[in-house]
């Protein structure tokens, strides 16, 4: 992002030109970005092909086209003072087009690296950040050269994999070959399975003037490859380990010359070692608690990064536990549709419900999140466990 001028919201009044911020993608991350931008006085424009996209429904303007549609991109260029993205699979080409004319946070180069697992791992190593031992497999001939030490492992497609999609566990060379065929014979990365204690993530915001602020380190629990629970302050994470994770994420962002909000996910191994897993060039599911537990949310930081407004370090004013709410909650054991018991959940102290306005529930679809805040982590966890029991979610 070469444009350093601060983009302020215009004063409303006779003849005032609204300052419009654009977001590529209309999912829940875009919706929460739009709401943060609107709170600061900006107008918003969302480009998303879905007529009922959660962000499009609450934005001032919804450009309903494909991400690479020339007329759609031209509309965004005409309307917007700056541009951002809300999910990493927006084609980097669209961001190159927009970024040539507008401040783009993040820039297309950084997004392109985040879209490619092999390039991502190479970037981690360049930044002196450890990642899992791995091999890139692009052709069937390369199976013969795979080191036995990488098995058992996880085979992941190089592109378009997130929330546990596009990946398979493999124990033997035969399983590896079968998994590669099942994933369509597409280029993949084979990662060695490591002795994992738990997972954490770091969310940072980096401005055009290279200033960096960090959210507190989050501890995350995944189920079936999808985030289920986030806990802050992260239990079992020492100050030294938190500092190490923050420094590694900051090096990764600096190496990308990154502007915007970036999430880096790490594995903490049984021996306490920290290993980078992957990164997302945007706000992240594990940072949603910041809306209720911090004085500056990850979405406000996203607005500040793209407009050049000052980045203030977020303060955690409450301990928090966030539960991801997937579409499964809207069905009973027999598969009949039901409404989750929101009244009982909202009777709990410190319960903050966020539903994303999606048109219909289906299993595994992210429909919302519940954040429980309290003065202490133990109190937040106790209430979150009550909420999980009411909703029929497993204890954690």
């Amino acid at each position: 992002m070469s444009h350093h001028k601060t983009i302020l919201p215009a004063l409303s009044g006779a003849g005032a030109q609204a300052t419009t911020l654009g977001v590529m993608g209309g999912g829940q991350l875009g919706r929460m970005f739009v709401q943060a931008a609107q709170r600061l006085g900006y107008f918003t424009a969302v480009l998303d092909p879905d007529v009922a996209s959660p962000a499009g429904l609450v934005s001032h303007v919804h450009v309903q086209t494909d991400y690479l549609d020339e007329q759609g991109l031209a509309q965004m260029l005409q309307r917007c003072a700056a541009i951002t993205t809300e999910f990493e699979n927006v084609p980097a080409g669209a961001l190159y087009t927009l970024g040539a004319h507008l401040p783009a946070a993040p820039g297309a180069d950084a997004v392109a690296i985040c879209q490619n697992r092999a390039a991502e791992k190479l970037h981690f190593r360049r930044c002196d950040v450890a990642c899992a031992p791995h091999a890139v497999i692009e052709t069937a001939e390369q199976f013969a050269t795979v080191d036995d030490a990488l098995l058992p492992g996880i085979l992941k497609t190089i592109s378009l994999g997130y929330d546990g999609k596009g990946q398979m566990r493999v124990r033997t060379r035969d399983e590896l070959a079968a998994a590669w065929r099942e994933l369509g014979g597409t280029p993949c990365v084979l990662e060695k399975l490591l002795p994992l204690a738990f997972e954490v993530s770091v969310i940072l915001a980096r401005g055009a003037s290279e200033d960096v602020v960090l959210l507190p380190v989050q501890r995350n629990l995944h189920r079936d490859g999808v985030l289920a629970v986030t806990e802050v302050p992260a239990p079992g994470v020492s100050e030294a380990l938190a500092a190490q994770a923050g420094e590694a994420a900051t090096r990764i962002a600096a190496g990308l010359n990154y502007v915007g909000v970036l999430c880096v996910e790490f594995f903490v191994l049984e021996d306490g070692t920290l290993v980078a897993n992957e990164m997302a060039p945007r706000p992240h599911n594990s940072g949603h608690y910041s809306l209720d537990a911090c004085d500056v949310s990850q979405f406000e930081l996203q607005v500040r990064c793209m407009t050049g407004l000052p980045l203030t370090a977020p303060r955690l004013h409450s301990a928090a536990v966030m539960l991801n709410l997937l579409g499964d909650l809207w069905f009973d054991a027999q598969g009949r549709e039901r409404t989750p018991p929101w009244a009982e959940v909202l009777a709990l102290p410190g319960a903050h419900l966020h539903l994303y306005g999606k048109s219909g529930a289906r299993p595994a679809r992210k429909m919302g999140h519940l954040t429980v805040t309290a003065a202490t982590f133990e109190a937040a966890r106790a209430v979150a466990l009550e909420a999980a029991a009411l909703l029929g979610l497993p204890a954690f």
Side-chain angles (χ1 to χ4, degrees):
M1 179 166 163
S2 55
H3 318 255
H4 281 250
K5 75 178 174 62
T6 304
I7 299 164
L8 295 167
L11 293 170
S12 56
Q17 185 63 42
T19 309
T20 300
L21 303 181
V23 59
M24 300 294 285
Q28 63 269 16
L29 294 165
R31 182 185 178 98
M32 289 180 267
F33 164 79
V34 161
Q35 289 163 338
Q38 289 174 352
R39 194 169 59 79
L40 288 174
Y42 294 96
F43 275 40
T44 55
V46 168
L47 188 147
D48 188 284
D50 179 6
V51 66
S53 74
L57 292 172
V58 300
S59 183
H60 296 91
V61 176
H62 177 193
V63 177
Q64 193 203 329
T65 67
D66 182 73
Y67 295 115
L68 291 168
D69 181 81
E70 282 181 26
Q71 285 177 312
L73 294 175
Q75 268 200 66
M76 294 296 274
L77 283 172
Q78 201 179 344
R79 291 178 184 276
C80 300
I83 204 88
T84 188
T85 179
E86 71 103 42
F87 80 126
E88 56 263 52
N89 295 332
V90 168
L95 293 175
Y96 278 115
T97 300
L98 295 169
H101 306 281
L102 290 176
D109 289 341
V111 173
I113 288 173
C114 296
Q115 288 176 346
N116 182 306
R117 288 189 196 278
E120 187 176 65
K121 288 192 172 355
L122 188 61
H123 181 70
F124 290 158
R125 289 163 74 171
R126 277 197 195 121
C127 296
D128 197 26
V129 174
C131 58
H134 62 280
V136 177
I137 299 173
E138 291 173 317
T139 65
E141 291 72 45
Q142 286 171 309
F143 286 120
T145 62
V146 168
D147 189 339
D148 286 334
L150 294 179
L151 293 168
I154 302 180
L155 188 68
K156 300 179 176 181
T157 57
I158 276 182
S159 60
L160 298 179
Y162 63 99
D163 283 346
K165 299 178 179 75
Q167 49 183 271
M168 300 178 74
R169 288 192 172 210
V170 292
R171 288 168 301 193
T172 63
R173 287 182 176 274
D174 287 346
E175 284 185 13
L176 174 60
W180 190 63
R181 287 193 299 273
E182 196 167 326
L183 290 172
T186 184
C188 286
V189 171
L190 174 67
E191 285 178 28
K192 181 180 174 66
L193 265 180
L194 298 171
L196 189 63
F198 53 87
E199 298 177 45
V200 298
S201 60
V202 173
I203 293 170
L204 62 78
R206 188 174 187 271
S209 51
E210 301 182 10
D211 43 331
V212 175
V213 297
L214 297 133
L215 284 175
V217 174
Q218 297 101 205
R219 178 164 166 167
N220 302 319
L221 166 70
H222 289 78
R223 296 190 185 115
D224 300 323
V226 180
L227 182 68
V229 182
T230 294
E231 300 174 313
V232 191
V237 174
S238 66
E239 276 184 35
L241 187 64
Q244 189 191 340
E247 284 158 16
T250 302
R251 285 203 303 280
I252 288 166
L256 291 167
N257 201 16
Y258 195 86
V259 176
V261 172
L262 178 74
C263 176
V264 184
E265 295 182 309
F266 294 94
F267 297 141
V268 179
L269 305 187
E270 285 169 357
D271 66 1
T273 310
L274 195 68
V275 174
N277 175 31
E278 58 190 32
M279 56 184 173
R282 51 168 174 78
H284 191 259
N285 204 164
S286 66
H288 290 349
Y289 73 90
S290 63
L291 288 162
D292 300 302
C294 295
D295 57 359
V296 185
S297 76
Q298 63 171 346
F299 300 101
E300 181 169 331
L301 289 173
Q302 187 181 19
V303 176
R304 290 181 180 220
C305 285
M306 70 190 287
T307 56
L309 287 171
L311 294 180
T312 57
R315 290 177 304 184
L316 186 74
H317 56 66
S318 304
V321 176
M322 187 210 72
L323 308 178
N324 229 358
L325 306 176
L326 303 183
D328 311 60
L329 297 181
W330 276 256
F331 299 92
D332 66 16
Q334 284 70 47
R336 293 183 298 246
E337 282 204 49
R338 66 175 191 128
T339 300
W342 300 132
E344 291 168 64
V345 170
L346 289 171
L348 297 171
H352 309 268
L353 178 64
H354 297 258
L355 295 176
Y356 302 148
K358 295 194 175 176
S359 50
R362 58 174 185 265
R365 188 181 199 192
K366 290 177 183 173
M367 299 297 292
H369 68 269
L370 180 79
T371 302
V372 175
T373 57
T376 66
F377 175 73
E378 292 70 25
R381 191 169 188 276
V383 175
L385 285 166
E386 282 185 68
L390 285 170
L391 291 165
L393 291 169
F396 49 90

